[in-house]
Amino acid sequence: MVVLRREIGDVLRDARQRQGRTLREVSSAARVSLGYLSEVERGQKEASSELLSSICDALDLPLSLVLREVSDRVAVAEGLLIPDTVPVDLTVGGDAGWAMSRSALAPVG
């Protein structure tokens, strides 16, 4: 079973480590306790949308990019292959709006 908080934590930790930054640096910039950030990264705590936004700001990453990476990881865990582009009918102003069924996604393999 996919646990969303673990995927979010993994993405945040990977981003922080790629930047060569410590938990202390990011927690200070995000104005969150070091212990709480550590728990978020380990998937032990659910990050509120406000906290997630603050952590993304501290990492200088768009929230949408983090959520996209999390979404892609969840899709892979579910055995789905997500297209790199958004179909026209799913864009703003498209006939179908933002709703997308699982049948619109291609299975992996």
Side-chain angles (χ1 to χ4, degrees), residues 80-101:
L80 300 173
L81 177 64
I82 305 296
D84 286 335
T85 58
V86 177
V88 174
D89 61 336
L90 297 179
T91 60
V92 175
D95 293 334
W98 289 98
M100 180 160 74
S101 67

Side-chain angles (χ1 to χ4, degrees), residues 74-81 106-109:
V74 170
V76 168
E78 292 175 337
L80 300 173
L81 177 64
V108 174

Side-chain angles (χ1 to χ4, degrees), residues 2-51:
V2 177
V3 178
L4 189 58
R5 70 177 181 266
R6 287 190 193 140
E7 295 300 330
I8 291 170
D10 287 347
V11 169
L12 293 173
R13 183 179 50 250
D14 290 348
R16 179 182 58 77
Q17 289 176 339
R18 277 194 310 272
Q19 293 178 9
R21 297 178 65 194
T22 66
L23 273 169
R24 186 172 308 282
E25 291 169 336
V26 175
S27 69
S28 176
R31 295 190 174 110
V32 62
S33 76
L34 186 142
Y36 198 83
L37 178 59
S38 176
E39 289 179 311
V40 168
E41 283 192 359
R42 287 180 286 143
Q44 295 177 334
K45 293 285 185 184
E46 298 275 352
S48 69
S49 58
E50 292 86 0
L51 177 62

